[in-house]
Amino acid sequence: MPLPAFARDWTETRWDRFAATSSETGLFRGDTLLHTDINPSNMLVAGRRVWAVDWAWPTRGAGFIAPALLVVQLLASGHTPAEAEKWAARIPAWREAEPEAVDAFAAAGLRMYRERTRRRPAEEWLTVMVRAYGAWTSHRGVGVPPASAGV
């Protein structure tokens, strides 16, 4: 489905400040309409059909981002990184993504949730997300220094 004209200015930037370098932010750009609030409450499943609901943060970006967000939710619910990525491999945008882009996104997500957890340590769901991103970056062999090491 082509990007609707009204969404052309909705560039996704929320992970930019958590990228290791400014050049990594370009890896998150694209012309795919993204549902960037993928979580169990926003997915309705009936048999073999799934609906994404509550499009509060629709943006335009790299096509691999939506399946990457689902990978993290699968990890948070107990799947292994290999299982989650195997599921994502069914999606063309995931298969076509540069591994460096996925690695950069996973690392940026871990940095983002580490910061959010530092700000709101009592919110368990944030800790769950840090663990999920940590497992994913470890699986992908992406080193992400602890927050005390600079990021």
Side-chain angles (χ1 to χ4, degrees):
M1 179 171 128
L3 182 71
F6 61 82
R8 296 239 178 257
D9 295 333
W10 297 353
T11 302
E12 178 53 67
T13 60
R14 114 187 44 191
W15 289 277
D16 288 4
R17 70 186 192 113
F18 300 102
T21 66
S22 59
S23 63
E24 283 186 355
T25 62
L27 300 172
F28 307 153
R29 300 296 182 266
D31 287 324
T32 300
L33 182 62
L34 303 172
H35 184 300
T36 57
D37 190 18
I38 294 177
N39 67 69
S41 299
N42 289 345
M43 305 301 286
L44 300 177
V45 180
R48 297 181 54 84
R49 298 191 69 180
V50 178
W51 293 268
V53 298
D54 189 11
W55 284 66
W57 292 335
T59 55
R60 177 178 63 89
F64 76 87
I65 291 176
L69 293 171
L70 190 52
V71 164
V72 175
Q73 289 297 325
L74 290 169
L75 294 171
S77 68
H79 293 271
T80 68
E83 291 168 340
E85 287 191 346
K86 183 178 179 184
W87 182 91
R90 299 176 185 180
I91 301 170
W94 177 268
R95 290 192 308 270
E96 296 164 6
E98 294 294 326
E100 307 83 50
V102 177
D103 291 348
F105 183 80
L110 177 55
R111 290 183 196 104
M112 181 174 70
Y113 277 98
R114 281 178 176 168
E115 180 177 311
R116 288 179 176 177
T117 301
R118 277 194 304 277
R119 290 181 180 181
R120 299 185 312 218
E123 294 193 34
E124 179 60 27
W125 75 273
L126 292 172
T127 302
V128 169
M129 296 307 292
V130 168
R131 285 189 203 122
Y133 273 102
W136 192 27
T137 55
S138 177
H139 169 76
R140 294 188 66 82
V142 177
V144 183
S148 61
V151 181

